[in-house]
Amino acid sequence: MSSRVMIHLLQNNKTMTTRILTRQIQTTTTKRPPSSSYQQQNRHFSNFSFIDESSTKKQKTASNKTALILGSSGILGKTIVQHLSHDLQMTIIGADVIDPVKKKDIDALDAFIPLQHTSNATELTKSLSLGMRNINDGKEKVVMVDAIICASGGWEGDPTSSYLPGRLLEEDGITPEMAAEEWGKVLDKMLQMNLHPVLAAGNVASTHMANQGLFVAFGATAALMPTPGMAAYGAAKAATHQYIQTLGAMTGLGIGHNKIRKDAKKFRRGKPYLDDMTAVAILPTMLDTPTNRKFATRKDDFNAWTKPIDIAEEIGKWVVEPYLRPSSGSLIKVYPPRFQPGDDDSDGEWSKSTFGQVR
């Protein structure tokens, strides 16, 4: 018998208490086998992971490695959790504002840290740090992670009041103060969903990242350019890009001109985790998720959208084979699948998404 621990952080006003729930589960001496429900027999998506039959090829396992995944209850996060846990047999620590509910989601996690939905950057950073410390309770050594993956995120367009002329706002009964409040709420939401988890995870890396660590955050291809109508979202994602480039430059594997590398070497003193850590931002264009499909038009072809499993498998390769990782500080664009015509005897097929460095 062995135990998996679920950490619950409950914050009431200014006091913080911790409740630990321990669930006994039956285990054997063998590693966890791939879940049959995780595999698909057709090209349609499953109820959460959007996995197709071409994605079930065997990969090297990483049973001695541990990953912390923020946003582990979202579609992308669940897919990454399932792939790293079942296919690569890694130990997984999840963290999200939504607790896992389904048995297969809970079984894929070895520990879970609930986060407050309305946390600001300070509260989120403290909660995540405390959650990791509580996982260490009763252990002689600090639990170290080989990968930190920030799969948290979300989208919301700017409020209409942020770009309408004052005359039209007055006609609709919207005062400047009301418009300012509406804009502020969207800005706070985009920063909380897209940027704050990345910064909080960066703090955890300073105390829990193992040698040859991998730090992955999600940016956006759209944020490489101006984003009219979604300035708050674009600003949060662009800030994520900048943070990853800066974090990457501080590592021993970072690239850049001599002055940056010289300054980074001074910063790394006393921080050995930075010597061989790789920090990368993945920039999708359109992920094939239930939420995104709700906003699809009749012209959209879902075959041309990136499947979350493609991203999960790419991250898995970086975990297992460090030499396959991009340069630290890279922004990696995800290129959508492309249709490959067949010969006279076949109808052709859609390729998997591909990845390429843009910065």
Side-chain angles (χ1 to χ4, degrees):
M1 301 290 288
S2 65
S3 299
R4 289 186 184 177
V5 180
M6 184 169 291
I7 308 298
H8 278 261
L9 305 179
L10 307 175
Q11 183 172 5
N12 298 313
N13 297 328
K14 295 183 179 180
T15 63
M16 180 76 74
T17 60
T18 303
R19 180 162 55 91
I20 302 179
L21 305 179
T22 304
R23 175 173 57 86
Q24 296 291 337
I25 61 172
Q26 184 69 40
T27 61
T28 65
T29 56
T30 59
K31 299 300 180 182
R32 288 174 295 194
S35 169
S36 59
S37 63
Y38 177 68
Q39 299 177 344
Q40 282 283 62
Q41 299 303 317
N42 53 57
R43 295 191 61 84
H44 295 290
F45 54 84
S46 69
N47 61 340
F48 69 82
S49 57
F50 283 52
I51 301 165
D52 63 57
E53 60 183 358
S54 64
S55 302
T56 58
K57 61 182 181 180
K58 293 183 179 179
Q59 294 186 14
K60 291 183 179 180
T61 61
S63 57
N64 63 332
K65 296 183 180 295
T66 300
L68 168 64
I69 302 178
L70 281 73
S72 58
S73 297
I75 295 297
L76 178 59
K78 285 181 181 180
T79 306
I80 296 172
V81 166
Q82 292 288 334
H83 178 63
L84 298 187
S85 175
H86 291 299
D87 288 351
L88 302 188
Q89 302 179 24
M90 293 178 61
T91 298
I92 306 297
I93 303 170
D96 206 311
V97 296
I98 301 175
D99 288 3
V101 177
K102 295 182 178 180
K103 184 179 184 300
K104 59 185 173 184
D105 298 335
I106 297 174
D107 288 347
L109 297 173
D110 296 276
F112 180 76
I113 304 172
L115 303 171
Q116 296 296 317
H117 185 69
T118 58
S119 296
N120 56 36
T122 301
E123 293 171 345
L124 177 62
T125 303
K126 289 172 60 178
S127 294
L128 191 59
S129 178
L130 181 58
M132 290 298 296
R133 188 180 71 187
N134 286 333
I135 291 174
N136 288 321
D137 280 353
K139 297 180 175 64
E140 295 181 0
K141 295 183 179 180
V142 173
V143 172
M144 306 299 285
V145 297
D146 301 278
I148 297 178
I149 302 163
C150 305
S152 304
W155 178 90
E156 184 171 329
D158 298 337
T160 305
S161 60
S162 66
Y163 53 82
L164 284 179
R167 176 178 57 81
L168 295 180
L169 291 178
E170 293 176 0
E171 292 177 358
D172 291 337
I174 301 176
T175 66
E177 291 75 17
M178 293 169 61
E181 182 179 6
E182 189 177 7
W183 161 248
K185 288 180 178 179
V186 173
L187 180 57
D188 280 342
K189 183 177 181 180
M190 291 297 94
L191 292 175
Q192 289 171 2
M193 297 179 74
N194 296 295
L195 179 60
H196 292 173
V198 178
L199 301 178
N203 176 73
V204 169
S206 67
T207 53
H208 293 275
M209 186 67 86
N211 294 334
Q212 288 191 320
L214 174 66
F215 189 98
V216 178
F218 283 85
T221 298
L224 293 172
M225 301 170 288
T227 54
M230 50 180 188
Y233 172 82
K237 287 299 188 181
T240 298
H241 298 173
Q242 200 278 340
Y243 177 74
I244 289 298
Q245 289 178 304
T246 299
L247 182 61
M250 292 190 298
T251 68
L253 303 178
I255 57 177
H257 57 72
N258 291 336
K259 185 179 185 308
I260 292 179
R261 294 178 63 83
K262 186 176 181 180
D263 292 342
K265 188 174 182 179
K266 295 178 181 178
F267 184 85
R268 287 198 305 276
R269 291 174 182 171
K271 301 176 182 178
Y273 78 99
L274 287 174
D275 290 341
D276 53 7
M277 187 184 82
T278 301
V280 179
I282 296 178
L283 283 55
T285 300
M286 181 60 76
L287 284 177
D288 190 0
T289 67
T291 300
N292 287 341
R293 287 195 176 199
K294 291 179 182 179
F295 298 98
T297 66
R298 293 182 178 180
K299 296 181 179 179
D300 287 321
D301 187 342
F302 300 139
N303 290 311
W305 289 10
T306 295
K307 304 297 182 286
I309 187 60
D310 291 352
I311 293 177
E313 289 184 343
E314 188 71 12
I315 292 174
K317 294 175 184 177
W318 297 345
V319 172
V320 176
E321 305 285 4
Y323 67 87
L324 294 178
R325 299 174 184 176
S327 299
S328 190
S330 297
L331 304 185
I332 304 299
K333 181 178 178 179
V334 183
Y335 293 90
R338 300 181 65 178
F339 183 74
Q340 300 173 333
D343 52 31
D344 295 338
D345 297 327
S346 66
D347 297 328
E349 61 181 3
W350 286 87
S351 68
K352 297 172 68 69
S353 295
T354 55
F355 300 77
Q357 182 174 341
V358 292
R359 289 183 189 173

